[in-house]
Amino acid sequence: MDSLLKALPAILKAAGASPEVSEAACFAAWRYAAGEGLRDHAVPLRLQEKTLLVAVADATWRKQMQSFSGQLLFRLNSILGETRVTFLDFREDPTAVARLRAPQRQEGQRQTDSNIVPLELLNAAASIQDNDLRRAFLSAATSCIRRLEKQSYGIQPDAN
């Protein structure tokens, strides 16, 4: 995780104005900035312009998160190496929190978040100049990873 965090500023610089890479980097940085105590209770949903929308389970968590949003913004942007997020918008959405919460693996293994794009994919995507092609690449790659993760947890893939 440390190597990913150190690489985020370079990845963002190489990706330019790519909203997909920017969002993926913010999600990765969020997990570190929020820390273990918060990451399962507040999950990022999307980055719109410079506002990171974060789902929380209930009003208590929303109030708690809002009380130290300034600290979270500082940590997040420090990890990203620049100001990519200027506002954190906390929304009560227990369904999204449950769906996006890092799945538990066997004891002793690290949790993962399906919204985090692996460093190798971010690096590969950053070298794709065409925005539509980059978007399609990231979408296909993350979809494949999610499908493989579901299979490894014994979850049947969607019938779509």
Side-chain angles (χ1 to χ4, degrees), residues 37-38 41-42 56-66 90:
L38 301 177
H41 302 286
V56 294
D58 55 38
T60 303
W61 276 106
R62 182 173 47 82
K63 186 175 181 179
Q64 192 72 8
M65 297 300 289
Q66 286 173 334
F90 298 102

Side-chain angles (χ1 to χ4, degrees), residues 1-10 79:
M1 182 64 135
D2 287 339
S3 61
L4 170 64
L5 294 173
K6 290 177 185 175
L8 282 177
I79 294 164

